[in-house]
Amino acid sequence: MLKRFAALFLLLLALSGCHSASSVPADSFSDTAEKSEPPLSEIHFFGTLASGNGDGAKTKNGFFYIEPQSSSYANIQYIDFSSKKKVSVCSNPACTHDNETCSSYLEWSGGYPYIAANSSKIIFISANAGSVNETVYYEKALPHIQIADLSGANRKTLLSLSANEDIQIGTACNEEYLYLIKKGVEGNSSVMDFCKVSLSDGALQTICRLPDGNSFILGAEDQYIIVVCYSPATNGNLYSPDQVSTFMCFDMTTETCISQKELPLNVLDHPHQNFVHGTILYSFSPRDNTLSVYDLKNNETLRSISPVFDKEVTMGQIDAVFDDNILFSEIFAGSEEDAAYIRYDLSSEKQTPFTLLAEYGENTGRFFPVVPSCSLTNEYLVVYQCDSSDALLADTAGNAVGFVKPEFAFISKEAYWSGIPEYQQLE
């Protein structure tokens, strides 16, 4: 399904064209006069397959992302919110951006990293690329974290993990720490540890051992982080009815879990569709045609809306939540091909068709909803068109890897939710 392409898009973080080099302005960061016991700086969420809104790193002044150029390397790109220009993260105007002397250059190491940022650093998180790639890329194929200045300069490896460890997709960071879930092995079982990594010295600290199963960071806001834990399947049954999704809210000032919300993971052929925005959980039950909104921080149900749709729904995916609007991809009963994209206005509890679509490739007839990459005061940064390319990895297996090259544009929020393609393209 095309909605699954969106997940691949977020995993690869593969993005559009290259312009002439320019310096990237540093984000301003106001120091306070008081130096004693400063409060924990605000935590931001970056990159996850489960939540679907982490295809780059928004900072105060702009947006960083990773753009593949070939099967062997990628470049770090930057979109400036003020000038609406796109530049490579490189200060050399004569640079070709295609070798390791360039500060925007990222070598392929079995899997492109994904990205986070704070007011002074870009952070690159690379998951375990697997034993096959270790024979080609050696230690570069192991899970590791790198940091660089916002200009791309002074890049260095902050932390490297071992071959039997991995970093789960989905992170959060503030000025002091990168928060992640580290997957390890104990005996014949996988274990998940909620950890923090010091951005000053790379020290890794375990905050807590998470419950058995698979876990991801799904959201963050202020000093809170939301983690979801999917319980293991009974007797290996991937559709076991007793499986649950446990959404945990951590207060990082005390590094403790302050609330939990359990939802069924498998409900016959009508699985719940969940989306976390900040510390708010939106959960849609196709079986009951009900949308529930939970405040995970305060452990309370904010509202329950039923029925949501005027048709029977067999499956429904929440693609985005912005400005009191939910973007749904719905497949209604009766036809697997009858896919509809719906804008649901939470303030009025009204639904309207969503018609702002982008094409995957040229003249393919395959379309997907335009989903905001980040929100500004009056506009969104979006991918308004997308192309793809296939290349061969430089390994003995000759495996093919596909990567996408979306084109970004700005669009007013009013035009976006009205389905009007009034894009302001980047310079």
Side-chain angles (χ1 to χ4, degrees), residues 143-220:
H144 61 278
I145 297 166
Q146 291 185 317
I147 60 172
D149 298 340
L150 294 182
S151 64
N154 301 314
R155 193 191 310 174
K156 65 179 181 180
T157 298
L158 187 68
L159 173 69
S160 294
L161 299 179
S162 65
N164 64 347
E165 296 176 312
D166 205 354
I167 301 172
Q168 294 287 87
I169 294 171
T171 61
C173 83
N174 55 14
E175 300 302 314
E176 299 85 19
Y177 296 103
L178 175 73
Y179 299 94
L180 55 85
I181 294 174
K182 179 172 69 73
K183 180 180 180 179
V185 177
E186 288 188 359
N188 296 322
S189 302
S190 296
V191 294
M192 301 279 175
D193 290 323
F194 184 31
C195 301
K196 65 179 181 181
V197 179
S198 169
L199 296 177
S200 61
D201 60 14
L204 174 70
Q205 296 179 320
T206 299
I207 296 169
C208 70
R209 172 67 51 86
L210 295 170
D212 291 342
N214 212 13
S215 299
F216 301 92
I217 294 175
L218 288 188

Side-chain angles (χ1 to χ4, degrees), residues 2 319 327-329 339-342 353-360 365-371 382-386 411 415-416 418-421 423:
L2 289 179
D319 291 314
L327 174 59
F328 280 96
S329 292
Y341 304 105
I342 302 294
F354 184 83
T355 58
L356 203 60
L357 306 180
E359 188 171 12
Y360 179 46
R366 296 183 293 161
F367 295 91
F368 58 92
V370 175
V371 177
V382 301
V383 173
Y384 75 101
Q385 68 181 45
C386 191
I411 185 172
Y416 177 84
S418 298
I420 303 172
Y423 300 115

Side-chain angles (χ1 to χ4, degrees), residues 93-304:
C95 185
T96 57
H97 313 308
D98 60 359
N99 60 72
E100 60 187 8
T101 64
C102 174
S103 58
S104 77
Y105 178 85
L106 285 174
E107 181 183 7
W108 172 269
S109 59
Y112 288 120
Y114 56 104
I115 195 169
N118 60 21
S119 69
S120 62
K121 299 293 182 185
I122 313 171
I123 306 159
F124 307 99
I125 303 100
S126 294
N128 195 322
S131 58
V132 173
N133 288 296
E134 286 180 35
T135 62
V136 179
Y137 304 106
Y138 305 102
E139 71 276 2
K140 293 180 182 179
L142 298 177
H144 61 278
I145 297 166
Q146 291 185 317
I147 60 172
D149 298 340
L150 294 182
S151 64
N154 301 314
R155 193 191 310 174
K156 65 179 181 180
T157 298
L158 187 68
L159 173 69
S160 294
L161 299 179
S162 65
N164 64 347
E165 296 176 312
D166 205 354
I167 301 172
Q168 294 287 87
I169 294 171
T171 61
C173 83
N174 55 14
E175 300 302 314
E176 299 85 19
Y177 296 103
L178 175 73
Y179 299 94
L180 55 85
I181 294 174
K182 179 172 69 73
K183 180 180 180 179
V185 177
E186 288 188 359
N188 296 322
S189 302
S190 296
V191 294
M192 301 279 175
D193 290 323
F194 184 31
C195 301
K196 65 179 181 181
V197 179
S198 169
L199 296 177
S200 61
D201 60 14
L204 174 70
Q205 296 179 320
T206 299
I207 296 169
C208 70
R209 172 67 51 86
L210 295 170
D212 291 342
N214 212 13
S215 299
F216 301 92
I217 294 175
L218 288 188
E221 187 174 75
D222 297 327
Q223 73 266 33
Y224 303 98
I225 294 178
I226 305 301
V227 173
V228 65
C229 301
Y230 301 113
S231 64
T234 303
N235 298 323
N237 178 11
L238 296 179
Y239 301 98
S240 175
D242 60 350
Q243 281 188 276
V244 295
S245 306
T246 302
F247 296 86
M248 308 172 68
C249 181
F250 285 85
D251 184 342
M252 301 316 298
T253 59
T254 59
E255 297 186 348
T256 58
C257 178
I258 60 172
S259 71
Q260 295 187 106
K261 177 68 180 178
E262 285 191 357
L263 293 174
L265 182 58
N266 299 310
V267 184
L268 299 177
D269 295 327
H270 299 72
H272 281 239
Q273 300 296 314
N274 302 311
F275 191 97
V276 172
H277 182 74
T279 58
I280 304 299
L281 168 63
Y282 300 83
S283 181
F284 175 63
S285 170
R287 184 184 65 174
D288 302 324
N289 199 2
T290 299
L291 175 71
S292 301
V293 184
Y294 304 103
D295 182 344
L296 298 174
K297 179 177 64 176
N298 295 305
N299 197 24
E300 62 178 342
T301 301
L302 298 180
R303 62 200 301 183
S304 181

Side-chain angles (χ1 to χ4, degrees), residues 311-324:
K311 294 183 180 181
E312 181 185 357
V313 176
T314 58
M315 177 178 174
Q317 175 169 302
I318 300 175
D319 291 314
V321 178
F322 283 101
D323 299 302
D324 223 21

Side-chain angles (χ1 to χ4, degrees), residues 50-123:
S51 200
N53 60 353
D55 56 355
K58 178 188 176 185
T59 63
K60 179 181 178 180
N61 295 326
F63 185 80
F64 290 93
Y65 60 89
I66 298 173
E67 167 190 289
Q69 303 297 339
S70 75
S71 61
S72 61
Y73 78 97
N75 291 124
I76 312 161
Q77 305 283 30
Y78 178 78
I79 296 172
D80 182 78
F81 292 150
S82 178
S83 67
K84 291 183 167 54
K85 290 183 178 180
K86 179 181 65 176
V87 296
S88 294
V89 181
C90 173
S91 59
N92 180 5
C95 185
T96 57
H97 313 308
D98 60 359
N99 60 72
E100 60 187 8
T101 64
C102 174
S103 58
S104 77
Y105 178 85
L106 285 174
E107 181 183 7
W108 172 269
S109 59
Y112 288 120
Y114 56 104
I115 195 169
N118 60 21
S119 69
S120 62
K121 299 293 182 185
I122 313 171
I123 306 159

